Each structure stands twice: as structure tokens, then as C-alpha cells.
Amino acid sequence: MTTTTPAPTVTATAKKPARIAHRKGRPARRSTPLTIAMLAALAYFLLPLFWLLIASTKSTQDLFNSFGLWFSDAPQLLSNIKATFSADNGVFVHWLLNTVMYAGVSAVGAALLAAAAGYGFAKYRFRGDRAAFNLVLGAVMVPTTALAIPTYLLFAQAGLANTPWAIILPSLVNPFGLYLMRVYAEDAVPDSILEAARIDGAGEARIFIRIALRLMGPGVVTVLLFTLVATWNNYFLPLIMLNDPDLYPITVGLASWAAQAQNGGAGASSDMLALVVTGSLISIVPLVVAFLMLQRYWQSGLATGGVKQ
């Protein structure tokens, strides 16, 4: 007589993990209102860039006589680019080089200063450190336009107005960058590594340059890009600091071209407004290239400073 082993019964407890796995495998529910909101936000940010690209292919007459969000019957992007670089004896190239110099020096200097100050606030304790950091937080709330006139008066008395230093030195001060680097350095730079380096005989400057600065790399790149964009797009400070056209950045230079096109001043041409639009398109290309080149540093650990171990 043979005996048969009863088949194992599947209990409710055994079924539960399968149900959970099945639920995890299901695609997430789509929210129609959220999708519409995201598409609206995407259009809000990309539509001006699309218009700028389309407008750069038109002449001044086509800018007013054709549909704004589509090409005209005779696109002339290459002609507009060539005319932009050759107008006024190639002054646009000079403005572009000025902007690269202002933004590049300011971005690198501001990032290094913010990293050094943020590292100091995060890893050292000294008398008045809390009061000094609270002062930095208060400076974050002050708009830069409110400081433009006092800054001009200070630089005028120092004899630095109408010089490149009038643009570079104010851009080196970045309270928000200092705050960001202080928060980032608290967790991105472990105290154990610093103590080990001190035991090995490394000085504080060497520890910061060889160890801390590398660990703070993503945060430094973030401050660098923020300062680069802010200085590149800065208009009000160069407008009040500079009166020599040879020192203009792109923002003030294109504004002077736009004023000539509207008022019909000396040197104005019928296609001056088209050159302003094309110059605006050219001016954003270096920023896009900078973001594409430096974005990999963000992917390597930007959230490190915001995660507790």
C-alpha cells in the first residue's frame, strides 16, 4: 500500500510576498494634472529659447512681418552670425572675450573663496564663528542690486571704477556659495580623514588643498557654475561701473546696440535689431557648453553633503 504525501498548502502568509512583488512590478499610476503641469513648465523654460533660435534666422523686417514661432521664407542664420561678428569692426568679439574673462575669473575665484570659508566654518571652532556665519546668512537675503550704488561709490573713491576689477572683485563675494559649501563640507569631509592627515604631519593648508578640496569637488563646481551664470548675465553692475565701450561685457554691449536700433543713433543700420537677437543666441552657447562639460561632477556626489552617515 502506497502512501501519498499531501501537497503543501499555500498559506496567506506565503501569498503576501508574491502580492507585494506583483504590486512592485506594476507600472506607477500616471497623474494627468501632474503631466500637464510638467509640460507647462517645460514650455515655459524652452519656449523663449525656441523663439530666440527662430528669431536669429530672420532679418529685422521679418522679425515684425512673420510669425514669431516659425521660420521666415528666407532664413539667414549664417548671414546674421557673420554680420554680428563683423559689425562695428568686430566689437562683438571684444565684448565676448571681456565676458569670458570677467565670468571665468570671478567664477573660479568665488568658488575657491567659498570653499575655503565654508570649510573653515564647518571644521574649525573659533570665537564668534556663529555670529559670523549668521552675518553671512543675513547677507544672502540682501539683493545685489541694492549694493550696486554703494559698491560704485566705494570703487570710485578707490580709483577702480571703469576697470575690469570693478566687475571681478564684487563677483568674488558669494554669501550663498559660502553657505552651500559650509553645509556640504560638514559631511563630505569626514573628521577622521582630517585627524589621520594631521597625525601624518600634514599642515592645514595641505590638508585643505590635497584632501578637503577634492572631496568638496561637486559643491565647488556648483558654486562655480552659479557664479559663472550670474556674472555672465550681470547687466546692472557693468552698466554703472563701466563707461568705456572697450570694457563692456556682452550684456551691456548688446543693450547699446539695441538702443542704437531704437533711436537710430550713429552707427545704426537697418539690421541692427537682428544682430542683437543673433548676438543673444551666441552669448548663451558658452554657458550651455560649460554645463555639459561640468555636469559629470554633479553626478559624482552632489548629494553627499545632504546625507547623514
Side-chain angles (χ1 to χ4, degrees):
M1 180 176 182
T2 59
T3 59
T4 58
T5 303
T9 58
V10 180
T11 62
T13 304
K15 291 180 178 179
K16 188 174 182 180
R19 291 179 180 178
I20 295 176
H22 177 69
R23 290 177 182 177
K24 289 184 178 179
R26 289 186 304 177
R29 294 174 59 187
R30 296 182 179 180
S31 174
T32 301
L34 182 59
T35 302
I36 295 175
M38 293 300 296
L39 291 177
L42 183 66
Y44 175 80
F45 287 107
L46 295 184
L47 193 60
L49 296 179
F50 180 73
W51 177 90
L52 184 62
L53 177 62
I54 296 300
S56 299
T57 66
K58 301 179 180 181
S59 63
T60 301
Q61 184 178 3
D62 290 336
L63 285 174
F64 296 98
N65 297 334
S66 61
F67 180 59
L69 296 179
W70 197 244
F71 299 94
S72 62
D73 296 334
Q76 53 180 40
L77 177 61
L78 296 179
S79 300
N80 286 344
I81 293 176
K82 182 178 179 181
T84 300
F85 281 105
S86 61
D88 292 344
N89 298 321
V91 70
F92 181 81
V93 179
H94 198 67
W95 293 341
L96 183 61
L97 294 177
N98 289 341
T99 307
V100 171
M101 190 257 302
Y102 297 153
V105 175
S106 300
V108 174
L112 293 178
L113 288 177
Y119 171 78
F121 276 115
K123 298 302 177 180
Y124 296 98
R125 294 295 174 262
F126 52 91
R127 182 178 299 179
D129 58 343
R130 291 181 178 274
F133 187 69
N134 290 334
L135 184 63
V136 173
L137 293 180
V140 174
M141 307 303 295
V142 179
T144 55
T145 53
L147 301 176
I149 300 300
T151 303
Y152 170 76
L153 297 177
L154 179 64
F155 275 74
Q157 292 182 357
L160 295 177
N162 198 35
T163 65
W165 295 111
I167 308 302
I168 295 174
L169 291 180
S171 302
L172 295 178
V173 181
N174 190 341
F176 176 75
L178 193 155
Y179 167 76
L180 179 65
M181 294 309 303
R182 192 253 188 182
V183 174
Y184 188 85
E186 283 183 346
D187 292 311
V189 184
D191 294 335
S192 58
I193 295 181
L194 302 181
E195 292 299 330
R198 294 188 182 105
I199 293 175
D200 290 341
E204 297 299 328
R206 185 178 180 183
I207 292 174
F208 171 72
I209 296 174
R210 301 292 298 273
I211 299 176
L213 199 59
R214 295 184 179 182
L215 295 174
M216 298 163 59
V220 174
V221 172
T222 302
V223 177
L224 187 146
L225 284 176
F226 282 170
T227 308
L228 180 70
V229 174
T231 308
W232 190 281
N233 295 327
N234 198 353
Y235 171 75
F236 190 57
L237 181 64
L239 180 65
I240 65 174
M241 286 290 188
L242 305 175
N243 53 32
D244 186 359
D246 291 335
L247 297 177
Y248 283 172
I250 286 181
T251 52
V252 180
L254 291 179
S256 66
W257 273 3
Q260 292 181 14
Q262 292 178 356
N263 301 327
S269 64
S270 58
D271 286 335
M272 185 67 73
L273 189 58
L275 302 185
V276 173
V277 176
T278 307
S280 301
L281 177 66
I282 297 173
S283 68
I284 68 175
V285 174
L287 294 180
V288 174
V289 173
F291 270 90
L292 294 179
M293 292 178 60
L294 298 176
Q295 67 174 350
R296 62 188 181 93
Y297 293 98
W298 285 342
Q299 300 173 358
S300 63
L302 182 58
T304 301
V307 179
K308 296 292 183 180
Q309 299 292 336

